[in-house]
Amino acid sequence: MTTPPPRKLAVILHADVVGSTALVQRNESVAHERIQDAFRRFSATVESYGGIAHEIRGDALVAEFARASDAVSAALAFQFANTAHNKGLTDDIRPEIRTGISLGEVVIADGTITGTGVVLAQRLEQLAAQGGVVVQGSVSETVPTRMPFEFEDLGAQQVKGFDQPVRAFAVRLKASAQVPAPESTGASKDRSVSTGDEAERPPLALPDKPSIAVLPFTNMSGDPEQEYFSDGITEDIITELSRFPELFVIARNSSFIFKGEAIDIKEAARKLGVQYIVEGSVRKAGNRVRVTAQLVDAVDGAHLWADRYDRQLEDIFEVQDDVVRAIVGVLPGRIAEAGAQWSRRKATSNLSAFDYLMRANHALNRRGDNLKKAIGLYQQAILLDPEFAAAYAGIAIAEGMSVWDLSYYDDNPLERAYENGKRAVELDSSDYRSHEAFGGALRQLGRHSLARQHLERAMVLNPNSARVLESWAMLLAYTGDLQGTVDIYHHAIRLDPFSQDYLRMETVAEAYYMMRKYEESLVVLESMLKLPIFYVHQQMAMCYAQLGDMKACEKSMAKYRESLPASYDEKLLFESHLRLCAREEDREHWVQGYRLIGMDV
């Protein structure tokens, strides 16, 4: 008696080419070659996400996955990559793929895969739009809610070969989110953590609005000491563009990963997930400054605008105005009345104070031991212009950061952060940085209601600031909106995809802890181990203890003790958790965790 081939439950992906017959009729050899190339690329994507591309059947691909989240991620990653690939073709023979994903029994024998799971995936794929992905209801239910996907209910569908209607969902990436990375690339299991050192990332979906990145302007002064000035000009342009809600603007941290590199515009745009790139140079000599800038559509390589400005140094604010006006004036839709209605505030009339501000910002971005230097430079700016709001805001941000960096932690930096942030708002209530600084200080002091008002105002004034979103996510975490924290985190990561901002990662790790999702918290914490943050081991120990894995807990605590600075007060973080948490249940949860790892609290 012949033994029947074994059956197993699997997640099945079925993809085919839309209108393949029409493509073949246009040019049979070219169409065949491109269809095969598309499926070779799709197969490689499948394998990178841990799937198995079993076979290519004419104009269709069948693949198997162990997890629904991997199948959905692979499908979306390929669709974005294929769209970008097709844009580079010069004719109309462009294979567009649609994909269906099911969960069902299959039989693998003699090099083929068959079964109801394959048939259902094929039927679901036929419901998908060109370039779309449709999944079975049971697939959508098994994808973790933390994944950045949206499922549109298509209702119960009567499909050929099945007696009962099948619930179907169209799946897409959440707005401004990033396609989850394959675990095999070394990215974290959380799939949303971005530490900036992956060898290759899946392509990012282009936002619905005009998306732009400003690459670091080249310092042409011949003096490395002038780097702060060219960096400052770049940051100011990023900031001013970020104020437009009609734009999607990549954060400074991610744009600056290309600093000092020979840049391929298309590659930079692909990595950052934007359509438009601004690049330029700055030459400062004595009281003269020359700024060149150009705007490039990275999709087709077209140069949309370019100009050069030779001015007196005192005209630098007007130069930045002109650059921003020109950029927003040539983007699609020409942002309404950009030139006529928008006018940048002149930060200060004292150029020396402005110079100190740019030096201070340069030091602040380096963090660590540079915080004390940054504060001193901001103070120098204030001595020259006592009403320089941006300098007070800088001090407030630096003092708030110094609590955790240990390089400048003495008596009470939070009180100084509060006073300087308050002064910044008093001097300029129309600048998002003033509200960001004051709101951040209030949040750290546990004054959640007032912090909410200022951070909301900061987001209105600058909807593209990843740093403001970071503070907002922290506020949500400690006031009980834990899922909101995770959602904001995803949005901030899309704005700043290469950031290694440990506070952002720590916030989402703590949110997962308070949600009792200890495994998810561990994934994020593990991604932070390469950063010099000793108390990550303590937080990991707490998660292991909550999971009942005391052996792993003890190992993490041993690493924590090894890395603990001699000057550090161990109760600092614990007291912060109790001070910041608005809900009693969250405070009790932290107390329980600290007791589980042996702390006397």
Side-chain angles (χ1 to χ4, degrees):
M1 181 177 180
T2 304
T3 303
R7 296 177 175 270
K8 69 175 181 178
L9 187 66
V11 178
I12 299 299
L13 179 152
H14 193 285
D16 80 351
V17 177
V18 180
S20 59
T21 301
L23 293 178
V24 170
Q25 288 174 345
R26 290 172 195 160
N27 189 316
E28 183 174 357
S29 61
V30 172
H32 178 74
E33 179 183 339
R34 289 184 181 173
I35 289 171
Q36 294 302 304
D37 174 67
F39 284 128
R40 281 194 295 270
R41 288 184 284 111
F42 205 161
S43 297
T45 302
V46 165
E47 292 172 5
S48 73
Y49 280 89
I52 301 171
H54 279 289
E55 53 186 307
I56 297 175
R57 301 174 174 178
D59 64 349
L61 168 72
V62 183
E64 169 197 356
F65 291 84
R67 298 188 304 190
S69 57
D70 290 329
V72 173
S73 297
L76 290 175
F78 172 76
Q79 296 291 24
F80 290 126
N82 195 51
T83 297
H85 176 84
N86 284 345
K87 284 183 178 180
L89 300 176
T90 57
D91 54 39
D92 59 354
I93 303 177
R94 304 179 179 189
E96 299 287 352
I97 311 296
R98 58 184 179 180
T99 306
I101 302 173
S102 71
L103 177 65
E105 281 194 352
V106 295
V107 175
I108 301 174
D110 300 323
T112 62
I113 180 169
T114 58
T116 56
V118 176
V119 176
L120 180 54
Q122 182 180 20
R123 299 289 184 257
L124 292 168
E125 160 247 289
Q126 292 167 356
L127 299 174
Q130 178 174 298
V133 180
V134 169
V135 303
Q136 183 184 359
S138 57
V139 170
S140 69
E141 293 170 359
T142 58
V143 174
T145 57
R146 71 175 187 276
M147 303 296 279
F149 304 138
E150 291 179 343
F151 294 92
E152 178 189 352
D153 191 347
L154 301 181
Q157 299 284 331
Q158 190 66 56
V159 297
K160 182 179 178 181
F162 292 83
D163 295 332
Q164 299 298 320
V166 177
R167 195 66 175 243
F169 292 81
V171 60
R172 61 182 61 88
L173 200 63
K174 289 182 178 178
S176 301
Q178 177 180 344
V179 178
E183 290 185 8
S184 59
T185 65
S188 74
K189 293 178 183 178
D190 179 74
R191 321 289 242 280
S192 63
V193 177
S194 176
T195 55
D197 59 356
E198 294 93 332
E200 185 64 32
R201 295 163 177 256
L204 301 174
L206 288 178
D208 295 332
K209 56 182 71 173
S211 52
I212 190 167
V214 183
L215 301 183
F217 278 32
T218 303
N219 171 28
M220 302 294 290
S221 302
D223 179 4
E225 293 298 319
Q226 294 295 325
E227 287 291 326
Y228 77 92
F229 190 81
S230 57
D231 287 355
I233 298 299
T234 309
E235 291 180 49
D236 270 3
I237 292 172
I238 292 172
T239 295
E240 298 312 318
L241 287 172
S242 295
R243 297 180 191 276
F244 290 96
E246 300 95 335
L247 296 180
F248 181 95
V249 184
I250 291 295
R252 179 254 186 219
N253 285 344
S254 289
S255 290
F256 270 62
I257 68 164
F258 298 99
K259 185 175 173 63
E261 294 186 4
I263 299 169
D264 179 277
I265 295 297
K266 287 190 175 182
E267 180 66 10
R270 187 194 69 79
K271 288 183 176 180
L272 294 171
V274 297
Q275 182 171 358
Y276 303 100
I277 292 288
V278 178
E279 62 174 352
S281 64
V282 178
R283 182 188 299 275
K284 179 186 173 190
N287 198 39
R288 300 287 300 180
V289 62
R290 171 181 291 178
V291 177
T292 65
Q294 66 173 345
L295 176 68
V296 180
D297 184 336
V299 172
D300 58 19
H303 286 65
L304 303 180
W305 164 84
D307 211 338
R308 186 179 76 178
Y309 305 88
D310 285 294
R311 304 281 183 85
Q312 295 290 324
L313 187 57
E314 63 188 21
D315 296 328
I316 190 61
F317 302 114
E318 285 73 19
V319 171
Q320 293 174 24
D321 275 3
D322 290 344
V323 170
V324 173
R325 284 196 186 96
I327 291 169
V328 299
V330 299
L331 288 174
R334 297 177 62 88
I335 294 173
E337 302 294 329
Q341 293 185 3
W342 179 78
S343 180
R344 182 180 184 273
R345 292 170 306 282
K346 194 169 185 177
T348 178
S349 59
N350 190 310
L351 286 178
S352 295
F354 180 67
D355 190 77
Y356 274 118
L357 178 78
M358 289 201 291
R359 293 176 185 270
N361 289 341
H362 194 256
L364 182 70
N365 286 319
R366 294 181 175 182
R367 300 193 172 187
D369 294 338
N370 290 284
L371 289 179
K372 185 174 182 179
K373 177 182 178 181
I375 291 170
L377 290 167
Y378 286 128
Q379 290 170 339
Q380 287 294 320
I382 290 170
L383 287 175
L384 294 168
D385 182 354
E387 296 188 349
F388 198 177
Y392 287 100
I395 292 176
I397 292 170
E399 292 285 18
M401 291 166 59
S402 70
V403 174
W404 307 108
D405 277 86
L406 298 176
S407 58
Y408 188 60
Y409 180 70
D410 49 17
D411 53 346
N412 197 345
L414 290 183
E415 286 298 328
R416 292 194 296 275
Y418 171 86
E419 292 297 335
N420 282 278
K422 181 181 179 183
R423 182 60 176 151
V425 172
E426 291 171 349
L427 289 168
D428 190 353
S429 62
S430 63
D431 189 352
Y432 86 95
R433 286 166 294 198
S434 297
H435 292 281
E436 173 202 347
F438 193 36
L442 290 164
R443 178 192 57 75
Q444 285 187 273
L445 289 167
R447 299 177 62 177
H448 299 119
S449 180
L450 191 55
R452 180 179 294 271
Q453 295 177 32
H454 287 281
L455 291 176
E456 284 179 336
R457 183 59 181 158
M459 286 190 291
V460 169
L461 292 169
N462 189 335
N464 284 289
S465 173
R467 196 165 66 185
V468 173
L469 290 176
E470 176 184 293
S471 287
W472 182 247
M474 292 180 190
L475 180 68
L476 294 182
Y478 290 116
T479 54
D481 187 355
L482 301 174
Q483 186 57 51
T485 298
V486 176
D487 293 341
I488 290 294
Y489 172 79
H490 281 287
H491 183 44
I493 282 294
R494 181 59 184 88
L495 285 166
D496 198 2
F498 287 91
S499 174
Q500 296 191 51
D501 198 322
Y502 66 83
L503 287 177
R504 190 181 304 160
M505 290 188 278
E506 182 181 349
T507 300
V508 78
E510 293 187 352
Y512 280 136
Y513 175 83
M514 289 186 279
M515 293 166 77
R516 276 66 171 173
K517 294 184 176 182
Y518 307 117
E519 292 181 343
E520 286 90 339
S521 184
L522 280 168
V523 167
V524 182
L525 291 167
E526 286 169 359
S527 74
M528 297 170 65
L529 288 177
K530 63 189 70 177
L531 304 174
I533 315 165
F534 63 90
Y535 55 79
V536 170
H537 295 293
Q538 183 191 62
Q539 300 290 290
M540 292 180 67
M542 207 176 300
C543 290
Y544 283 126
Q546 293 284 12
L547 289 168
D549 189 345
M550 297 312 297
K551 185 175 181 179
C553 171
E554 291 170 3
K555 183 181 293 186
S556 290
M557 282 302 291
K559 292 178 180 177
Y560 166 70
R561 295 294 179 197
E562 291 173 6
S563 57
L564 185 66
S567 61
Y568 184 71
D569 181 354
E570 282 196 77
K571 290 192 175 182
L572 179 64
L573 191 59
F574 166 70
E575 291 170 352
S576 173
H577 285 140
L578 295 195
R579 181 180 69 250
L580 296 179
C581 287
R583 301 192 305 178
E584 181 62 30
E585 62 191 88
D586 290 330
R587 289 194 291 270
E588 291 177 354
H589 190 206
W590 283 114
V591 169
Q592 179 191 54
Y594 279 103
R595 285 175 176 167
L596 284 173
I597 62 174
M599 282 191 65
D600 182 18
V601 295

